[in-house]
Amino acid sequence: QMGVLARMAYADLLREAGRPTLIILDDALVHSDDGRLEQMKRVLFDAAQRHQILLFTCHPQAWGDLGVPVRSLV
């Protein structure tokens, strides 16, 4: 979770400097327990108001409640 939070903070610094931001996460939170995953979903939802976020996962059922449709790449 700290790695994801650090990426969000860096993206905020880039945005303040007028640079474009894109955050790509590849199952970055797959080993989080349910409580921490819910907290991190709130962080991601907040960050998505300021940045473009692409989240790749093998566990789409865990991410269906973020307000955007889950899309399959296969």
Side-chain angles (χ1 to χ4, degrees):
Q1 291 104 2
M2 292 302 294
V4 172
L5 293 174
R7 289 181 196 183
M8 302 298 164
Y10 185 62
D12 284 341
L13 289 173
L14 287 173
R15 185 170 182 254
E16 288 177 16
R19 304 298 300 252
T21 58
L22 169 63
I23 299 167
I24 300 173
L25 303 173
D26 186 7
D27 262 341
L29 300 168
V30 69
H31 297 294
S32 299
D33 60 57
D34 291 341
R36 287 189 178 102
L37 183 60
E38 289 304 314
Q39 291 173 341
M40 292 304 294
K41 284 181 181 181
R42 286 192 292 268
V43 168
L44 288 172
F45 185 82
D46 178 62
Q49 308 306 308
R50 301 181 306 280
H51 311 290
Q52 182 179 13
I53 299 175
L54 296 178
L55 186 131
F56 297 96
T57 184
C58 294
H59 307 280
Q61 68 281 1
W63 299 99
D65 58 349
L66 284 182
V68 295
V70 174
R71 294 183 176 99
S72 177
L73 297 178
V74 279

